[in-house]
Amino acid sequence: MIKHNTVKATINGMAVEVPFGTSILEAARSVQVNIPVLCKHKDLLPTAACGLCIVKVSGNRKLPRACATALEDGMEITTHDTELTEVRRTTLELILSNHPNACLTCGRNGSCELQTMAGEFGIRQDDIPRYVRDLEPDCSSGSIVMDFTKCIKCGRCIQVCQQMQNVWALSFLDRGINTRMAPAGDISLNESPCIRCGQCSAHCPTGAIVENDETAAVWEELRDPDKYCTVQIAPSVRVALGEEFGHAPGTDVTGKIYTALRRLGFKAVFDTNFSADLTIIEEASEFLERFAHGNGELPLITSCCPAWVDYMEKRFSDFVPNFSTAKSPQQMLGVLAKTYFAEKSGIDPASIIQVSIMPCTAKKYELERTDEMYASGYKDVDISLTTRELARMIKQSGVDFNRLPDGEADSILGTYSGAGLIFGSTGGVMEAALRTAYFKVTGKNLEKEAINLHAVRGMKGIRGAAIDIEGTEVRVAVAHGLANVEALLKEVREARDSGGPIPYHFIEVMACPGGCIGGGGQPYGVSDEVRLQRIKGLFDGDESMALRFSHENPDIKKLYDDYLGEPLGEKAHSLLHAHYKPRPAYQR
Amino acid sequence: MNATSSPELKEIEPEVRKGIDECVDRWKDKEGNLIMILHEIQNQHGYVPREASLLLAEKTGVPMARIYEVITFYHYFRLVPQGKHNVTVCNGTACYLKGAGRLLNAFERKLKIKDGETSNDRLFHLETVRCIGCCGMSPALVIDKNTLGKMVPENIEKIVDDILKTEQTNEN
């Protein structure tokens, strides 16, 4: 038999030719036909759970599900007709009959896939008796809130948690109508292996899993005349927030965000890119200390991702000595806002409220991770909001975001280099650190095209590269999406245990696929296409900047000269470094 | 995947640990071993204790989440110990039509526990099943392996009291 690489068929009378193995759902998209679906997500394998993507195949009396059926040669597919629409409507009504009628007070009001579909299908009746289980929401994690009653059992969160992130906090418990997604046994998320990455919330089609909305707390602080509210925005927020206001993914709206934040009432607007530069200085110094002077374990592993830190402490705690002690940019900026900035501007640090805008739900957890997060004598960062929460605040405030003039950040903690900007992408921390490490070793900067370290860029799950720094080979690896981490660490562990040469000197890990730009707190609708556009936004920004090295950031130099002293010095150590310890995956 | 580390919160009794060790070693390299191991654990304890699952996860590398998916999928596996006396009310079609609900209510009132629960003194466990194959004598129930048919709610009081009486006599 001849093996064909493509299959030819017709969809609604239109000829299609797609690669062998393509699902009917995907094939239909290639001829601009969208088949309704609630369970299949572009990132995930089909589960055939929702039953909405049924289609007709000539010669087949059944209605196969388009997400889980491969297109075959000669198939004649009908995706839409009166009968299919009626069957879909009934299915949708059945799903809605197990869903609380609580749209108006739901965290996904306006962004819910189920609500949208009910609207598109013109559901006007609510005749089927409603059965919704009486279950309390799980608010224990502080990062995400799970409301089991809103779950439509699509299985996305389970696949995300188990396969994409390899965390296995969530499972499908029980069966049939009683099925629910929850940690193993009757324990709360906070007692489970959950690392709060929030990818479940970013993939959930409904309001069953949402970020813990803390906008009300921020409004309260902003209203308090005795408080001096300051704010920082993370690298990834600027290339994604625009999506909430109609811009394409990757559009850089930094200037508008600065202006919007001032209009919301923040008295000082800082940029996490600045402290990303600072993290690089400390981390690159730490790397050279370990690499060139043998002070400390190799490989050095990045620790700026709090979900990854939590994962390592729970699952790979034998790597505690390998973790960079340099705090994440969020925490570095927070501590400096309440020490350096407070001193320089003569403001009582007790009155300063520091809010961070992050692409991330785990950043909420990082605020109180250890006592070291209070290094200023106060809680260094008071409240952390996700990109989605900031969008909500801007919309509430009446600010016409798209027509805002561009603003500036406050220079003392706001100037940044392109190296700080790319922190939000997978490989970005590594690239930024290598640019500075190269300078520290050789005394000169990488030039022109060599600044762009293409070897560590891209979307492959694990990327290894050997970087030549004047004859010395530095072996680095980058992993993103936690499912990719295990293989990498096992390779390191085996080499270590057998006494062989270490495969890598420096490893960057980001918990979310694509890095922070694909974070669990980013605007909905993520896919690899969107991730690549956001990454491009960051790297285009880097390329357009005159300042591309963290060590050349003038405000960073001033900070060390005026305040911190030397990298890894005493003051730097007390303010900018943190430690790690093993933690149990299950607390009970 | 890497085993989830077992917390030191609950001390695992040495004989439980030994039993699981042996069981896991016996099934280690066989496909579909999880269900067989769970069977053995339940046969040994009457249910699957959480500590046993945690240890099992550590030893087999199967995540806790997956172990609990299997345990809760199959009606057979239990997460809580049963009572000394087990009441099973049949709720199959025939029994359902003939008033199984009223029998269940009578037990729930008398024992002060709900369907699927065990009394605090572990004396009684109450549950419903779909069909016990005795439709001819519906509504039916099973107490401690004795099948009783054509039951009415008024019988329940006496059935429970008789058991309690026997228990008291035994105690004295």
Side-chain angles (χ1 to χ4, degrees):
Chain A
M1 207 176 99
I2 306 161
K3 239 191 161 180
H4 296 287
N5 290 326
T6 61
V7 292
K8 288 178 184 173
T10 64
I11 294 178
N12 300 341
M14 292 177 280
V16 288
E17 184 171 356
V18 291
F20 181 81
T22 304
S23 70
I24 295 172
L25 185 73
E26 285 302 318
R29 282 182 184 145
S30 75
V31 284
Q32 304 84 42
V33 173
N34 284 328
I35 300 170
V37 65
L38 281 174
C39 59
K40 174 73 178 77
H41 188 282
K42 280 182 182 172
D43 281 346
L44 307 170
L45 296 169
T47 55
C50 77
L52 285 167
C53 70
I54 45 156
V55 291
K56 286 182 179 171
V57 181
S58 62
N60 185 345
R61 285 178 52 227
K62 294 177 181 167
L63 300 175
R65 297 182 184 199
C67 68
T69 311
L71 193 71
E72 287 171 25
D73 257 328
M75 273 184 171
E76 293 170 23
I77 310 280
T78 305
T79 65
H80 290 76
D81 66 14
T82 319
E83 191 190 1
L84 284 169
T85 302
E86 274 315 302
V87 176
R88 284 177 189 147
R89 192 195 309 280
T90 304
T91 305
L92 199 50
E93 284 171 350
L94 284 167
I95 295 173
L96 289 168
S97 76
N98 292 136
H99 194 79
N101 210 347
C103 292
L104 289 181
T105 51
C106 178
R108 289 298 294 274
N109 190 6
S111 66
C112 170
E113 294 177 38
L114 179 61
Q115 187 190 44
T116 304
M117 200 163 288
E120 287 172 359
F121 272 81
I123 305 279
R124 295 290 179 270
Q125 286 168 348
D126 197 8
D127 294 341
I128 304 176
R130 178 165 273 109
Y131 173 75
V132 181
R133 288 186 72 196
D134 187 17
L135 292 164
E136 285 294 308
D138 184 341
C139 306
S140 65
S141 99
S143 290
I144 55 172
V145 176
M146 285 180 52
D147 183 347
F148 310 105
T149 62
K150 292 176 182 165
C151 175
I152 60 165
K153 302 171 178 87
C154 67
R156 287 187 193 172
C157 59
I158 308 281
Q159 219 183 113
V160 163
C161 191
Q162 298 186 349
Q163 266 76 44
M164 178 193 266
Q165 297 295 71
N166 198 18
V167 169
W168 295 85
L170 289 179
S171 44
F172 259 143
L173 298 182
D174 288 325
R175 59 195 287 184
I177 192 77
N178 292 325
T179 307
R180 65 189 198 280
M181 79 301 188
D186 287 312
I187 62 168
S188 68
L189 264 186
N190 200 36
E191 298 166 312
S192 82
C194 174
I195 53 158
R196 306 167 184 84
C197 68
Q199 283 300 320
C200 52
S201 74
H203 287 81
C204 180
T206 71
I209 311 181
V210 294
E211 71 282 348
N212 175 23
D213 187 308
E214 295 178 279
T215 53
V218 175
W219 283 124
E220 196 163 319
E221 299 294 358
L222 286 167
R223 266 198 297 268
D224 185 341
D226 298 328
K227 297 283 171 62
Y228 189 94
C229 290
T230 65
V231 65
Q232 58 171 310
I233 66 156
S236 305
V237 174
R238 71 205 65 217
V239 289
L241 182 78
E243 292 162 38
E244 294 270 1
F245 298 93
H247 296 275
T251 310
D252 185 347
V253 290
T254 311
K256 291 193 194 312
I257 297 178
Y258 292 155
T259 307
L261 290 169
R262 283 190 206 283
R263 293 217 184 165
L264 292 181
F266 288 103
K267 294 199 171 79
V269 176
F270 303 134
D271 202 314
T272 318
N273 289 0
F274 166 84
S275 46
D277 278 336
L278 184 59
T279 296
I280 285 304
I281 303 293
E282 291 293 323
E283 196 157 337
S285 305
E286 191 183 6
F287 175 67
L288 289 177
E289 200 53 33
R290 296 187 189 205
F291 181 74
H293 308 296
N295 291 331
E297 292 280 320
L298 285 173
L300 179 70
I301 303 177
T302 61
S303 61
C304 36
C305 168
W308 159 232
V309 166
D310 199 23
Y311 190 71
M312 182 281 294
E313 291 187 324
K314 285 173 176 167
R315 289 272 304 277
F316 294 98
S317 55
D318 53 325
F319 285 97
V320 163
N322 296 77
F323 256 48
S324 166
T325 59
K327 280 184 189 171
S328 73
Q330 166 177 270
Q331 294 305 130
M332 285 202 183
L333 200 126
V335 71
L336 291 175
K338 295 194 179 185
T339 54
Y340 177 60
F341 170 79
E343 277 179 36
K344 286 274 175 188
S345 34
I347 296 163
D348 177 7
S351 72
I352 296 181
I353 294 294
Q354 164 67 201
V355 175
S356 69
I357 314 295
M358 296 283 139
C360 180
T361 47
K363 285 284 171 190
K364 291 173 185 282
Y365 155 75
E366 189 180 43
L367 304 186
E368 296 171 9
R369 201 182 72 78
T370 64
D371 292 346
E372 292 147 329
M373 306 303 140
Y374 296 76
S376 63
Y378 306 90
K379 191 176 174 186
D380 294 337
V381 179
D382 294 277
I383 304 170
S384 182
L385 298 181
T386 59
T387 311
R388 297 196 291 264
E389 288 166 271
L390 174 63
R392 219 168 283 148
M393 283 187 79
I394 294 173
K395 287 171 186 172
Q396 280 170 41
S397 71
V399 165
D400 185 352
F401 187 78
N402 288 335
R403 292 174 56 215
L404 285 179
D406 283 350
E408 296 286 329
D410 287 278
S411 80
I412 187 169
L413 300 173
T415 311
Y416 61 88
S417 75
L421 178 62
I422 59 174
F423 234 74
S425 166
T426 171
V429 174
M430 179 60 72
E431 180 162 347
L434 287 173
R435 288 182 195 174
T436 290
Y438 186 91
F439 173 80
K440 292 214 170 205
V441 171
T442 65
K444 55 190 185 210
N445 279 329
L446 291 161
E447 279 181 53
K448 292 178 188 151
E449 187 42 36
I451 300 173
N452 301 320
L453 294 160
H454 290 286
V456 293
R457 293 188 188 175
M459 278 290 278
K460 211 169 146 240
I462 304 175
R463 308 186 292 282
I467 310 289
D468 177 74
I469 302 185
E470 290 207 327
T472 307
E473 187 189 58
V474 180
R475 294 188 297 277
V476 302
V478 172
H480 62 122
L482 284 177
N484 292 310
V485 173
E486 190 169 352
L488 189 61
L489 291 190
K490 276 189 173 162
E491 189 187 346
V492 175
R493 194 185 269 159
E494 270 163 34
R496 183 189 60 197
D497 294 349
S498 67
I502 51 166
Y504 307 104
H505 302 111
F506 199 177
I507 293 176
E508 176 209 282
V509 176
M510 296 189 187
C512 293
C516 312
I517 52 94
Q522 292 279 62
Y524 293 113
V526 74
S527 64
D528 273 350
E529 201 183 333
V530 171
R531 292 185 184 97
L532 284 167
Q533 283 173 285
R534 291 177 186 163
I535 289 173
K536 187 172 182 301
L538 292 182
F539 280 99
D540 284 354
D542 167 44
E543 199 123 10
S544 72
M545 292 183 74
L547 184 60
R548 299 190 66 192
F549 301 95
S550 299
H551 54 271
E552 290 193 341
N553 181 335
D555 277 357
I556 293 282
K557 287 183 189 169
K558 197 165 138 55
L559 170 67
Y560 279 106
D561 290 345
D562 289 3
Y563 191 71
L564 287 175
E566 287 298 305
L568 305 182
E570 201 182 320
K571 193 152 193 175
H573 199 83
S574 72
L575 296 180
L576 308 182
H577 288 259
H579 297 87
Y580 312 94
K581 63 173 187 204
R583 293 175 203 265
Y586 282 94
Q587 288 181 28
R588 68 188 175 102
Chain B
M1 87 156 260
N2 195 43
T4 43
S5 61
S6 161
E8 291 92 335
L9 296 174
K10 250 185 204 165
E11 203 52 50
I12 295 172
E13 287 169 36
E15 71 253 43
V16 175
R17 183 178 280 276
K18 191 158 164 277
I20 293 170
D21 279 351
E22 285 170 8
C23 180
V24 169
D25 285 342
R26 212 161 37 249
W27 290 101
K28 208 164 43 193
D29 302 316
K30 301 194 178 91
E31 212 175 315
N33 57 8
L34 179 59
I35 287 184
M36 301 317 292
I37 294 170
L38 289 172
H39 267 284
E40 286 204 20
I41 292 173
Q42 178 150 312
N43 287 344
Q44 202 182 339
H45 301 278
Y47 73 113
V48 185
R50 185 166 178 87
E51 303 85 82
S53 291
L54 284 164
L55 188 59
L56 191 56
E58 191 179 295
K59 286 191 66 81
T60 59
V62 178
M64 272 290 273
R66 176 55 42 83
I67 294 174
Y68 267 67
E69 283 177 342
V70 171
I71 293 174
T72 59
F73 183 85
Y74 293 104
H75 197 242
Y76 175 81
F77 291 120
R78 301 172 188 287
L79 286 167
V80 286
Q82 279 189 282
K84 187 171 175 191
H85 303 282
N86 294 301
V87 182
T88 306
V89 179
C90 181
N91 202 20
T93 309
C95 293
Y96 173 81
L97 290 170
K98 293 270 206 152
R102 275 176 285 150
L103 296 184
L104 180 65
N105 283 343
F107 274 113
E108 288 183 338
R109 268 198 310 274
K110 178 71 181 166
L111 299 173
K112 296 190 174 58
I113 52 174
K114 292 245 175 295
D115 181 12
E117 289 180 350
T118 304
S119 61
N120 283 340
D121 56 7
R122 294 265 168 90
L123 208 51
F124 288 97
H125 177 82
L126 176 63
E127 65 180 10
T128 53
V129 293
R130 284 300 149 214
C131 184
I132 55 171
C134 302
C135 307
M137 46 201 278
S138 61
L141 53 92
V142 183
I143 295 186
D144 299 337
K145 293 180 183 164
N146 298 318
T147 306
L148 308 173
K150 302 211 185 295
M151 286 282 116
V152 289
E154 290 69 35
N155 298 137
I156 305 308
E157 183 92 16
K158 184 170 183 313
I159 291 171
V160 174
D161 284 341
D162 283 351
I163 294 174
L164 287 173
K165 226 175 273 169
T166 323
E167 283 293 325
Q168 256 169 0
T169 325
N170 289 350
E171 246 174 60
N172 300 334

